[in-house]
Each structure stands twice: as C-alpha cells, then as structure tokens.
Amino acid sequence: MNAELRRLAKAADLEAEVHSLLRLRFGFACVQRVRHLLESPEAIDCLDTLGAFLEGRCDAAALASARQRGAATAGSHPGSASIDGAAHAAVSATYAVARALAGQALEAADYAAYATVYAYGAYALKDPDAFAEEYAWQAAQFKAMTATSA
C-alpha cells in the first residue's frame, strides 16, 4: 500500500463523485506503466477502450462494456505456477486494468505496483524498498494530475 498516495488521495477527496474522471485518468496512467506485462488480448483491448474513453473516442456504454469484460478477464486469468513470479505480474496487471476501468484508482495503483515488483521476481515482494520507485512515481503523477485539474 502506497501510504503517501493514500494521504494525497484523502486530501484531494478522490472518492468524491466530482473526481470520477480523475480516478479513471489516474488508474489508466498507472496501468499504462505495466501494459507490457499484460498477456490477455482482452485485457489489452479493455485498457485501450479506457484510453479511448478518456480521449473522447468512445462513449460511456463502451466503457461499461469494457468494465464488465475487464472484470471477467481478471477473474478468469489462469495465473501461473512459475517459480520466477513473471506470470503473477500478468495477473496483477490484469487486475489493475479491471480496477482502473471500475474507477478504483487506488486499487489499480496497488495492483500496478505489485505487477511491477512481481516482474522483478516474487522474492522482491518481501522487500518494501522494491516498491519505492513505483510508489514515488504514483505520488508524483497524482500530484501533477490534481494540480492540473484544480
């Protein structure tokens, strides 16, 4: 859990209805950083739909459809029994997509950070410092987004 991001989100009242677009934008930004870890074409398509929505190239109905497909894709990801944790990165990245589509920005950020660290190897999850770079990026990105939306 990114404590600094949580503090910033609370101060900005991120969960307020007025910030629904900010939640989508921030979740999308976090997931874009782990896009390369996605294995499922369906998850990639759902992420692309979110991007299209944010750019005004598709409507709320398309976003709602992607939200449902993203949740189903994340819930049915086969995962992996691999020792190196690489496939777990794909699982976490897929869940990040689903959470971003649902407007659950902080959860999307958490899953994206886990995907990043899983990509190093499962051993890294036990090292809080392994998350430091991603957490710092997330906090800086959130600050930048809230500064431009104010």
Side-chain angles (χ1 to χ4, degrees):
M1 178 182 74
N2 187 339
E4 175 65 6
L5 178 59
R6 295 259 189 281
R7 184 189 68 73
L8 293 167
K10 184 176 181 181
D13 195 19
L14 181 62
E15 295 306 313
E17 184 58 35
V18 69
H19 295 306
S20 60
L21 191 56
L22 174 61
R23 287 192 303 274
L24 291 173
R25 286 188 188 288
F26 181 68
F28 180 75
C30 290
V31 178
Q32 281 291 88
R33 290 177 57 84
V34 296
R35 178 188 185 94
H36 64 285
L37 298 173
L38 293 169
E39 297 173 336
S40 165
E42 185 72 12
I44 294 166
D45 182 63
C46 289
L47 181 59
D48 289 344
T49 300
L50 176 54
F53 177 80
L54 292 171
E55 293 173 358
R57 295 185 289 115
C58 73
D59 61 12
L63 180 65
S65 174
R67 184 179 302 124
Q68 290 177 335
R69 291 184 293 119
T73 300
S76 65
H77 196 289
S80 173
S82 69
I83 294 173
D84 67 2
H88 294 287
V91 173
S92 293
T94 303
Y95 271 96
V97 170
R99 294 306 189 264
L101 283 160
Q104 298 170 335
L106 298 180
E107 292 84 354
D110 284 342
Y111 276 112
Y114 270 89
T116 298
V117 174
Y118 266 132
Y120 301 147
Y123 68 89
L125 292 174
K126 296 179 182 178
D127 180 8
D129 291 338
F131 292 87
E133 184 178 335
E134 192 63 18
Y135 283 175
W137 179 88
Q138 289 175 350
Q141 182 69 20
F142 187 80
K143 284 178 188 177
M145 286 182 161
T146 54
T148 59
S149 69

